[in-house]
Amino acid sequence: MIDILGQYKVPATFFVVGEWVDKYPESVKALYDAGHEVMNHSNTHAHYPQLSADEVVADLNACNDKIEKVTGVRPTLVRLPYGDYDDNSVNAVRSIGMEPIQWDVEPSVT
């Protein structure tokens, strides 16, 4: 996939789960080194509306720490697991300077 995206000069944003970063750090590094963004998709893929704000923040920071350790860049975006969120989840995400997004974001064309 990295080769095809590179061939067509298409940058992509990949949202990864922290447990995946643990198993495949070389793949995360390869995505980043190929010029793609690597962002947060939670550490454990929990249903965030079932967690307290502190639990959401801890889960996000755990994944952010892992991604930053591999890429040197701390994520600023999170795609919430299952697309499942509530006001508490969104407020927790934003409390640490991140922005939640869904998978239906239209790419900008320049």
Short mmCIF file of all heavy atoms in Angstrom, two decimals, residues 2-67:
data_model
loop_
_atom_site.label_atom_id
_atom_site.label_comp_id
_atom_site.label_asym_id
_atom_site.label_seq_id
_atom_site.Cartn_x
_atom_site.Cartn_y
_atom_site.Cartn_z
N ILE A 2 1.94 1.24 0.78
CA ILE A 2 2.84 2.39 0.83
C ILE A 2 3.39 2.70 -0.55
O ILE A 2 3.45 3.85 -0.97
CB ILE A 2 3.98 2.15 1.84
CG1 ILE A 2 3.43 2.15 3.28
CG2 ILE A 2 5.07 3.20 1.70
CD1 ILE A 2 4.44 1.77 4.33
N ASP A 3 3.77 1.66 -1.29
CA ASP A 3 4.34 1.85 -2.62
C ASP A 3 3.31 2.46 -3.59
O ASP A 3 3.64 3.35 -4.36
CB ASP A 3 4.85 0.52 -3.19
CG ASP A 3 6.06 0.00 -2.44
OD1 ASP A 3 6.75 0.81 -1.76
OD2 ASP A 3 6.31 -1.21 -2.51
N ILE A 4 2.09 1.98 -3.52
CA ILE A 4 1.05 2.49 -4.42
C ILE A 4 0.73 3.95 -4.11
O ILE A 4 0.64 4.78 -5.01
CB ILE A 4 -0.22 1.61 -4.36
CG1 ILE A 4 0.08 0.23 -4.93
CG2 ILE A 4 -1.38 2.28 -5.10
CD1 ILE A 4 -1.01 -0.79 -4.69
N LEU A 5 0.59 4.27 -2.83
CA LEU A 5 0.33 5.67 -2.45
C LEU A 5 1.49 6.56 -2.89
O LEU A 5 1.27 7.66 -3.39
CB LEU A 5 0.10 5.78 -0.94
CG LEU A 5 -1.19 5.16 -0.42
CD1 LEU A 5 -1.18 5.13 1.11
CD2 LEU A 5 -2.41 5.91 -0.94
N GLY A 6 2.70 6.07 -2.73
CA GLY A 6 3.87 6.83 -3.16
C GLY A 6 3.93 7.01 -4.65
O GLY A 6 4.29 8.09 -5.15
N GLN A 7 3.60 5.96 -5.38
CA GLN A 7 3.62 6.01 -6.85
C GLN A 7 2.71 7.13 -7.37
O GLN A 7 3.03 7.81 -8.33
CB GLN A 7 3.17 4.66 -7.41
CG GLN A 7 3.08 4.60 -8.91
CD GLN A 7 2.57 3.24 -9.40
OE1 GLN A 7 2.47 2.28 -8.64
NE2 GLN A 7 2.24 3.17 -10.67
N TYR A 8 1.55 7.29 -6.73
CA TYR A 8 0.59 8.29 -7.17
C TYR A 8 0.68 9.59 -6.36
O TYR A 8 -0.16 10.47 -6.51
CB TYR A 8 -0.83 7.72 -7.12
CG TYR A 8 -1.02 6.63 -8.14
CD1 TYR A 8 -0.93 5.29 -7.79
CD2 TYR A 8 -1.25 6.94 -9.48
CE1 TYR A 8 -1.08 4.28 -8.72
CE2 TYR A 8 -1.40 5.95 -10.43
CZ TYR A 8 -1.32 4.62 -10.04
OH TYR A 8 -1.46 3.63 -10.98
N LYS A 9 1.70 9.67 -5.48
CA LYS A 9 1.93 10.86 -4.66
C LYS A 9 0.68 11.23 -3.85
O LYS A 9 0.27 12.40 -3.81
CB LYS A 9 2.41 12.02 -5.52
CG LYS A 9 3.75 11.76 -6.17
CD LYS A 9 4.18 12.93 -7.02
CE LYS A 9 5.56 12.80 -7.58
NZ LYS A 9 5.92 11.73 -8.40
N VAL A 10 0.11 10.23 -3.22
CA VAL A 10 -1.09 10.42 -2.41
C VAL A 10 -0.72 10.31 -0.93
O VAL A 10 -0.38 9.22 -0.46
CB VAL A 10 -2.17 9.36 -2.75
CG1 VAL A 10 -3.38 9.50 -1.83
CG2 VAL A 10 -2.57 9.47 -4.21
N PRO A 11 -0.77 11.42 -0.21
CA PRO A 11 -0.52 11.34 1.23
C PRO A 11 -1.78 10.84 1.93
O PRO A 11 -2.90 11.13 1.50
CB PRO A 11 -0.21 12.78 1.62
CG PRO A 11 -0.96 13.60 0.63
CD PRO A 11 -0.97 12.80 -0.66
N ALA A 12 -1.60 10.08 2.99
CA ALA A 12 -2.74 9.52 3.70
C ALA A 12 -2.54 9.71 5.21
O ALA A 12 -1.43 9.92 5.68
CB ALA A 12 -2.90 8.04 3.38
N THR A 13 -3.64 9.64 5.91
CA THR A 13 -3.61 9.65 7.36
C THR A 13 -4.08 8.29 7.83
O THR A 13 -5.17 7.85 7.47
CB THR A 13 -4.52 10.75 7.93
OG1 THR A 13 -4.10 12.02 7.40
CG2 THR A 13 -4.44 10.80 9.45
N PHE A 14 -3.24 7.64 8.61
CA PHE A 14 -3.56 6.32 9.16
C PHE A 14 -3.84 6.46 10.65
O PHE A 14 -3.06 7.06 11.38
CB PHE A 14 -2.39 5.35 8.94
CG PHE A 14 -2.18 5.00 7.50
CD1 PHE A 14 -1.39 5.79 6.69
CD2 PHE A 14 -2.79 3.87 6.95
CE1 PHE A 14 -1.20 5.47 5.35
CE2 PHE A 14 -2.61 3.54 5.62
CZ PHE A 14 -1.81 4.35 4.81
N PHE A 15 -4.96 5.90 11.07
CA PHE A 15 -5.32 5.91 12.48
C PHE A 15 -5.05 4.52 13.04
O PHE A 15 -5.62 3.54 12.57
CB PHE A 15 -6.80 6.28 12.64
CG PHE A 15 -7.06 7.72 12.29
CD1 PHE A 15 -7.30 8.10 10.99
CD2 PHE A 15 -7.02 8.69 13.28
CE1 PHE A 15 -7.52 9.43 10.65
CE2 PHE A 15 -7.23 10.03 12.96
CZ PHE A 15 -7.48 10.40 11.65
N VAL A 16 -4.16 4.44 14.03
CA VAL A 16 -3.72 3.16 14.54
C VAL A 16 -4.05 3.00 16.02
O VAL A 16 -4.05 3.97 16.77
CB VAL A 16 -2.21 2.94 14.30
CG1 VAL A 16 -1.89 2.92 12.82
CG2 VAL A 16 -1.37 3.99 15.01
N VAL A 17 -4.32 1.78 16.39
CA VAL A 17 -4.58 1.42 17.78
C VAL A 17 -3.23 1.16 18.45
O VAL A 17 -2.33 0.55 17.85
CB VAL A 17 -5.49 0.17 17.85
CG1 VAL A 17 -5.68 -0.32 19.27
CG2 VAL A 17 -6.83 0.48 17.20
N GLY A 18 -3.10 1.59 19.70
CA GLY A 18 -1.85 1.43 20.43
C GLY A 18 -1.36 0.00 20.49
O GLY A 18 -0.16 -0.27 20.40
N GLU A 19 -2.28 -0.95 20.64
CA GLU A 19 -1.89 -2.36 20.68
C GLU A 19 -1.27 -2.79 19.35
O GLU A 19 -0.40 -3.65 19.32
CB GLU A 19 -3.09 -3.23 21.06
CG GLU A 19 -3.56 -2.97 22.48
CD GLU A 19 -4.87 -3.66 22.84
OE1 GLU A 19 -5.59 -4.14 21.94
OE2 GLU A 19 -5.17 -3.71 24.05
N TRP A 20 -1.69 -2.18 18.24
CA TRP A 20 -1.11 -2.47 16.93
C TRP A 20 0.29 -1.88 16.84
O TRP A 20 1.20 -2.50 16.28
CB TRP A 20 -2.03 -1.93 15.83
CG TRP A 20 -1.71 -2.43 14.46
CD1 TRP A 20 -2.09 -3.62 13.92
CD2 TRP A 20 -0.95 -1.75 13.45
NE1 TRP A 20 -1.62 -3.72 12.63
CE2 TRP A 20 -0.91 -2.59 12.31
CE3 TRP A 20 -0.31 -0.52 13.39
CZ2 TRP A 20 -0.26 -2.23 11.14
CZ3 TRP A 20 0.34 -0.16 12.22
CH2 TRP A 20 0.36 -1.03 11.11
N VAL A 21 0.47 -0.68 17.42
CA VAL A 21 1.80 -0.06 17.43
C VAL A 21 2.77 -0.96 18.19
O VAL A 21 3.92 -1.13 17.78
CB VAL A 21 1.75 1.35 18.07
CG1 VAL A 21 3.15 1.97 18.11
CG2 VAL A 21 0.78 2.26 17.32
N ASP A 22 2.30 -1.56 19.30
CA ASP A 22 3.15 -2.47 20.07
C ASP A 22 3.61 -3.66 19.23
O ASP A 22 4.76 -4.07 19.31
CB ASP A 22 2.38 -3.02 21.29
CG ASP A 22 2.14 -1.98 22.36
OD1 ASP A 22 2.89 -0.98 22.44
OD2 ASP A 22 1.18 -2.17 23.15
N LYS A 23 2.69 -4.20 18.43
CA LYS A 23 2.99 -5.40 17.64
C LYS A 23 3.78 -5.10 16.37
O LYS A 23 4.58 -5.92 15.94
CB LYS A 23 1.69 -6.11 17.25
CG LYS A 23 1.01 -6.85 18.38
CD LYS A 23 -0.31 -7.44 17.91
CE LYS A 23 -0.11 -8.86 17.47
NZ LYS A 23 -1.39 -9.57 17.26
N TYR A 24 3.53 -3.93 15.77
CA TYR A 24 4.11 -3.63 14.46
C TYR A 24 4.77 -2.24 14.40
O TYR A 24 4.46 -1.44 13.52
CB TYR A 24 3.03 -3.72 13.38
CG TYR A 24 2.29 -5.02 13.38
CD1 TYR A 24 1.00 -5.11 13.90
CD2 TYR A 24 2.89 -6.19 12.90
CE1 TYR A 24 0.32 -6.32 13.92
CE2 TYR A 24 2.21 -7.39 12.92
CZ TYR A 24 0.93 -7.45 13.43
OH TYR A 24 0.25 -8.65 13.46
N PRO A 25 5.70 -1.96 15.31
CA PRO A 25 6.30 -0.62 15.29
C PRO A 25 7.02 -0.32 13.98
O PRO A 25 7.04 0.84 13.53
CB PRO A 25 7.27 -0.65 16.47
CG PRO A 25 7.54 -2.10 16.72
CD PRO A 25 6.28 -2.82 16.33
N GLU A 26 7.57 -1.34 13.33
CA GLU A 26 8.27 -1.11 12.07
C GLU A 26 7.30 -0.67 10.97
O GLU A 26 7.66 0.14 10.10
CB GLU A 26 9.06 -2.35 11.64
CG GLU A 26 8.22 -3.55 11.26
CD GLU A 26 7.54 -4.32 12.41
OE1 GLU A 26 7.93 -4.15 13.58
OE2 GLU A 26 6.60 -5.07 12.11
N SER A 27 6.07 -1.15 11.00
CA SER A 27 5.06 -0.73 10.02
C SER A 27 4.63 0.71 10.27
O SER A 27 4.45 1.48 9.32
CB SER A 27 3.84 -1.65 10.07
OG SER A 27 4.19 -2.95 9.67
N VAL A 28 4.49 1.08 11.53
CA VAL A 28 4.14 2.46 11.88
C VAL A 28 5.24 3.40 11.41
O VAL A 28 4.98 4.43 10.79
CB VAL A 28 3.90 2.60 13.39
CG1 VAL A 28 3.69 4.06 13.79
CG2 VAL A 28 2.71 1.76 13.83
N LYS A 29 6.47 3.02 11.66
CA LYS A 29 7.62 3.83 11.24
C LYS A 29 7.68 3.93 9.71
O LYS A 29 7.95 5.00 9.16
CB LYS A 29 8.91 3.22 11.78
CG LYS A 29 10.16 3.99 11.44
CD LYS A 29 10.30 5.23 12.29
CE LYS A 29 11.72 5.80 12.14
NZ LYS A 29 11.70 7.19 11.78
N ALA A 30 7.39 2.84 9.02
CA ALA A 30 7.40 2.85 7.56
C ALA A 30 6.33 3.79 7.01
O ALA A 30 6.59 4.52 6.04
CB ALA A 30 7.20 1.43 7.01
N LEU A 31 5.15 3.80 7.60
CA LEU A 31 4.10 4.72 7.16
C LEU A 31 4.57 6.16 7.32
O LEU A 31 4.44 6.98 6.41
CB LEU A 31 2.82 4.50 7.97
CG LEU A 31 2.06 3.22 7.71
CD1 LEU A 31 0.96 3.03 8.76
CD2 LEU A 31 1.46 3.22 6.31
N TYR A 32 5.10 6.45 8.50
CA TYR A 32 5.57 7.81 8.78
C TYR A 32 6.72 8.20 7.85
O TYR A 32 6.72 9.29 7.27
CB TYR A 32 5.99 7.94 10.25
CG TYR A 32 6.51 9.31 10.56
CD1 TYR A 32 5.63 10.38 10.72
CD2 TYR A 32 7.87 9.55 10.65
CE1 TYR A 32 6.11 11.65 10.97
CE2 TYR A 32 8.35 10.82 10.91
CZ TYR A 32 7.46 11.86 11.07
OH TYR A 32 7.94 13.13 11.31
N ASP A 33 7.69 7.32 7.70
CA ASP A 33 8.85 7.61 6.85
C ASP A 33 8.46 7.81 5.39
O ASP A 33 9.16 8.51 4.65
CB ASP A 33 9.90 6.50 6.96
CG ASP A 33 10.63 6.52 8.30
OD1 ASP A 33 10.52 7.53 9.05
OD2 ASP A 33 11.31 5.52 8.60
N ALA A 34 7.34 7.23 4.97
CA ALA A 34 6.86 7.39 3.60
C ALA A 34 6.08 8.69 3.42
O ALA A 34 5.59 8.97 2.33
CB ALA A 34 6.00 6.19 3.20
N GLY A 35 5.98 9.48 4.49
CA GLY A 35 5.33 10.79 4.38
C GLY A 35 3.87 10.83 4.78
O GLY A 35 3.19 11.83 4.53
N HIS A 36 3.40 9.77 5.40
CA HIS A 36 2.00 9.73 5.83
C HIS A 36 1.87 10.15 7.29
O HIS A 36 2.82 10.03 8.06
CB HIS A 36 1.44 8.33 5.63
CG HIS A 36 1.57 7.85 4.23
ND1 HIS A 36 0.86 8.41 3.18
CD2 HIS A 36 2.36 6.89 3.68
CE1 HIS A 36 1.19 7.80 2.05
NE2 HIS A 36 2.11 6.88 2.33
N GLU A 37 0.69 10.63 7.64
CA GLU A 37 0.42 10.95 9.04
C GLU A 37 0.00 9.67 9.76
O GLU A 37 -0.74 8.86 9.21
CB GLU A 37 -0.72 11.96 9.16
CG GLU A 37 -0.39 13.34 8.69
CD GLU A 37 -1.54 14.30 8.91
OE1 GLU A 37 -2.69 13.93 8.57
OE2 GLU A 37 -1.29 15.39 9.41
N VAL A 38 0.45 9.54 11.00
CA VAL A 38 0.02 8.44 11.85
C VAL A 38 -0.68 9.06 13.05
O VAL A 38 -0.06 9.80 13.82
CB VAL A 38 1.20 7.56 12.29
CG1 VAL A 38 0.70 6.43 13.18
CG2 VAL A 38 1.95 7.01 11.08
N MET A 39 -1.96 8.78 13.17
CA MET A 39 -2.77 9.38 14.22
C MET A 39 -3.39 8.29 15.12
O MET A 39 -3.24 7.11 14.88
CB MET A 39 -3.85 10.27 13.61
CG MET A 39 -3.30 11.47 12.87
SD MET A 39 -2.59 12.67 14.03
CE MET A 39 -1.56 13.62 12.91
N ASN A 40 -4.09 8.73 16.12
CA ASN A 40 -4.58 7.90 17.21
C ASN A 40 -5.95 7.29 16.90
O ASN A 40 -6.86 7.98 16.42
CB ASN A 40 -4.68 8.79 18.45
CG ASN A 40 -4.88 8.06 19.73
OD1 ASN A 40 -5.61 7.09 19.81
ND2 ASN A 40 -4.25 8.57 20.78
N HIS A 41 -6.09 6.01 17.19
CA HIS A 41 -7.39 5.33 17.11
C HIS A 41 -7.67 4.62 18.44
O HIS A 41 -8.33 3.59 18.48
CB HIS A 41 -7.42 4.35 15.94
CG HIS A 41 -8.76 3.72 15.68
ND1 HIS A 41 -9.93 4.45 15.63
CD2 HIS A 41 -9.11 2.43 15.44
CE1 HIS A 41 -10.94 3.63 15.39
NE2 HIS A 41 -10.47 2.40 15.27
N SER A 42 -7.10 5.17 19.52
CA SER A 42 -7.22 4.68 20.90
C SER A 42 -6.13 3.66 21.20
O SER A 42 -5.50 3.13 20.29
CB SER A 42 -8.60 4.09 21.20
OG SER A 42 -8.70 2.75 20.77
N ASN A 43 -5.95 3.41 22.46
CA ASN A 43 -4.95 2.42 22.85
C ASN A 43 -5.54 1.02 22.86
O ASN A 43 -4.90 0.07 22.42
CB ASN A 43 -4.36 2.76 24.22
CG ASN A 43 -3.10 1.98 24.49
OD1 ASN A 43 -2.20 1.95 23.67
ND2 ASN A 43 -3.04 1.34 25.64
N THR A 44 -6.78 0.89 23.33
CA THR A 44 -7.38 -0.43 23.53
C THR A 44 -8.66 -0.66 22.75
O THR A 44 -9.27 -1.71 22.89
CB THR A 44 -7.68 -0.64 25.02
OG1 THR A 44 -8.61 0.38 25.44
CG2 THR A 44 -6.42 -0.57 25.86
N HIS A 45 -9.08 0.30 21.95
CA HIS A 45 -10.32 0.22 21.15
C HIS A 45 -11.55 0.04 22.04
O HIS A 45 -12.46 -0.74 21.74
CB HIS A 45 -10.23 -0.87 20.09
CG HIS A 45 -11.02 -0.54 18.86
ND1 HIS A 45 -12.29 -0.97 18.65
CD2 HIS A 45 -10.70 0.22 17.78
CE1 HIS A 45 -12.74 -0.52 17.50
NE2 HIS A 45 -11.78 0.21 16.94
N ALA A 46 -11.58 0.80 23.13
CA ALA A 46 -12.72 0.77 24.06
C ALA A 46 -13.87 1.63 23.54
O ALA A 46 -13.67 2.50 22.68
CB ALA A 46 -12.28 1.28 25.42
N HIS A 47 -15.04 1.41 24.07
CA HIS A 47 -16.19 2.27 23.80
C HIS A 47 -16.07 3.49 24.71
O HIS A 47 -16.35 3.39 25.91
CB HIS A 47 -17.50 1.54 24.07
CG HIS A 47 -17.82 0.49 23.06
ND1 HIS A 47 -18.50 0.77 21.90
CD2 HIS A 47 -17.55 -0.83 23.03
CE1 HIS A 47 -18.64 -0.35 21.20
NE2 HIS A 47 -18.07 -1.33 21.87
N TYR A 48 -15.67 4.61 24.18
CA TYR A 48 -15.39 5.78 25.00
C TYR A 48 -16.59 6.29 25.81
O TYR A 48 -16.39 6.76 26.92
CB TYR A 48 -14.78 6.89 24.15
CG TYR A 48 -13.29 6.75 23.97
CD1 TYR A 48 -12.61 5.58 24.26
CD2 TYR A 48 -12.53 7.81 23.50
CE1 TYR A 48 -11.24 5.45 24.09
CE2 TYR A 48 -11.16 7.70 23.34
CZ TYR A 48 -10.52 6.52 23.63
OH TYR A 48 -9.16 6.42 23.48
N PRO A 49 -17.82 6.23 25.33
CA PRO A 49 -18.93 6.68 26.17
C PRO A 49 -19.09 5.86 27.47
O PRO A 49 -19.75 6.31 28.39
CB PRO A 49 -20.15 6.54 25.27
CG PRO A 49 -19.60 6.71 23.90
CD PRO A 49 -18.27 6.00 23.95
N GLN A 50 -18.48 4.70 27.52
CA GLN A 50 -18.55 3.87 28.73
C GLN A 50 -17.43 4.19 29.71
O GLN A 50 -17.36 3.61 30.79
CB GLN A 50 -18.50 2.40 28.35
CG GLN A 50 -19.68 1.96 27.50
CD GLN A 50 -19.56 0.53 27.01
OE1 GLN A 50 -18.64 -0.19 27.36
NE2 GLN A 50 -20.51 0.13 26.18
N LEU A 51 -16.52 5.11 29.33
CA LEU A 51 -15.39 5.46 30.17
C LEU A 51 -15.56 6.84 30.78
O LEU A 51 -16.26 7.69 30.24
CB LEU A 51 -14.10 5.45 29.34
CG LEU A 51 -13.74 4.17 28.59
CD1 LEU A 51 -12.45 4.38 27.80
CD2 LEU A 51 -13.62 3.00 29.54
N SER A 52 -14.88 7.07 31.90
CA SER A 52 -14.84 8.41 32.48
C SER A 52 -13.91 9.27 31.64
O SER A 52 -13.11 8.76 30.84
CB SER A 52 -14.32 8.35 33.92
OG SER A 52 -12.93 8.03 33.92
N ALA A 53 -13.98 10.57 31.84
CA ALA A 53 -13.09 11.48 31.12
C ALA A 53 -11.63 11.14 31.40
O ALA A 53 -10.80 11.15 30.48
CB ALA A 53 -13.39 12.93 31.48
N ASP A 54 -11.31 10.84 32.64
CA ASP A 54 -9.93 10.49 32.99
C ASP A 54 -9.48 9.21 32.29
O ASP A 54 -8.33 9.10 31.86
CB ASP A 54 -9.77 10.32 34.51
CG ASP A 54 -9.82 11.65 35.25
OD1 ASP A 54 -9.63 12.71 34.63
OD2 ASP A 54 -10.05 11.61 36.48
N GLU A 55 -10.38 8.24 32.15
CA GLU A 55 -10.04 6.99 31.46
C GLU A 55 -9.83 7.23 29.97
O GLU A 55 -8.92 6.65 29.36
CB GLU A 55 -11.12 5.95 31.68
CG GLU A 55 -11.18 5.43 33.10
CD GLU A 55 -12.40 4.56 33.37
OE1 GLU A 55 -13.50 4.90 32.87
OE2 GLU A 55 -12.25 3.55 34.08
N VAL A 56 -10.64 8.10 29.38
CA VAL A 56 -10.47 8.44 27.96
C VAL A 56 -9.11 9.10 27.75
O VAL A 56 -8.35 8.72 26.86
CB VAL A 56 -11.61 9.37 27.46
CG1 VAL A 56 -11.30 9.92 26.08
CG2 VAL A 56 -12.94 8.63 27.47
N VAL A 57 -8.79 10.07 28.60
CA VAL A 57 -7.51 10.78 28.47
C VAL A 57 -6.34 9.82 28.65
O VAL A 57 -5.37 9.86 27.88
CB VAL A 57 -7.44 11.95 29.48
CG1 VAL A 57 -6.02 12.49 29.61
CG2 VAL A 57 -8.41 13.06 29.08
N ALA A 58 -6.44 8.93 29.62
CA ALA A 58 -5.35 7.96 29.85
C ALA A 58 -5.18 7.05 28.64
O ALA A 58 -4.05 6.75 28.23
CB ALA A 58 -5.63 7.14 31.10
N ASP A 59 -6.29 6.60 28.05
CA ASP A 59 -6.22 5.72 26.88
C ASP A 59 -5.60 6.45 25.70
O ASP A 59 -4.73 5.92 25.00
CB ASP A 59 -7.62 5.20 26.55
CG ASP A 59 -7.59 4.07 25.55
OD1 ASP A 59 -7.12 2.97 25.90
OD2 ASP A 59 -8.04 4.28 24.40
N LEU A 60 -6.03 7.68 25.46
CA LEU A 60 -5.48 8.48 24.37
C LEU A 60 -3.99 8.73 24.56
O LEU A 60 -3.20 8.57 23.63
CB LEU A 60 -6.21 9.82 24.26
CG LEU A 60 -7.64 9.79 23.78
CD1 LEU A 60 -8.29 11.16 23.97
CD2 LEU A 60 -7.71 9.36 22.32
N ASN A 61 -3.61 9.13 25.76
CA ASN A 61 -2.21 9.42 26.02
C ASN A 61 -1.33 8.18 25.89
O ASN A 61 -0.19 8.28 25.42
CB ASN A 61 -2.03 10.08 27.38
CG ASN A 61 -2.33 11.57 27.33
OD1 ASN A 61 -2.08 12.23 26.33
ND2 ASN A 61 -2.86 12.10 28.42
N ALA A 62 -1.84 7.03 26.28
CA ALA A 62 -1.07 5.79 26.12
C ALA A 62 -0.76 5.53 24.65
O ALA A 62 0.37 5.20 24.28
CB ALA A 62 -1.81 4.61 26.74
N CYS A 63 -1.76 5.71 23.79
CA CYS A 63 -1.54 5.52 22.35
C CYS A 63 -0.65 6.62 21.80
O CYS A 63 0.27 6.34 21.01
CB CYS A 63 -2.88 5.49 21.62
SG CYS A 63 -2.74 5.12 19.86
N ASN A 64 -0.90 7.86 22.19
CA ASN A 64 -0.06 8.97 21.73
C ASN A 64 1.41 8.73 22.07
O ASN A 64 2.30 8.99 21.25
CB ASN A 64 -0.51 10.29 22.34
CG ASN A 64 -1.75 10.85 21.70
OD1 ASN A 64 -2.13 10.46 20.61
ND2 ASN A 64 -2.40 11.78 22.39
N ASP A 65 1.66 8.26 23.29
CA ASP A 65 3.04 8.00 23.72
C ASP A 65 3.70 6.96 22.82
O ASP A 65 4.87 7.10 22.44
CB ASP A 65 3.07 7.51 25.17
CG ASP A 65 2.70 8.58 26.19
OD1 ASP A 65 2.67 9.78 25.84
OD2 ASP A 65 2.43 8.20 27.35
N LYS A 66 2.98 5.92 22.49
CA LYS A 66 3.52 4.86 21.64
C LYS A 66 3.84 5.36 20.23
O LYS A 66 4.90 5.08 19.68
CB LYS A 66 2.55 3.68 21.57
CG LYS A 66 2.40 2.95 22.89
CD LYS A 66 1.32 1.91 22.85
CE LYS A 66 1.14 1.26 24.20
NZ LYS A 66 0.12 0.21 24.19
N ILE A 67 2.91 6.11 19.67
CA ILE A 67 3.12 6.65 18.32
C ILE A 67 4.29 7.63 18.32
O ILE A 67 5.15 7.59 17.45
CB ILE A 67 1.83 7.31 17.78
CG1 ILE A 67 0.74 6.26 17.56
CG2 ILE A 67 2.12 8.08 16.47
CD1 ILE A 67 -0.63 6.83 17.28
#
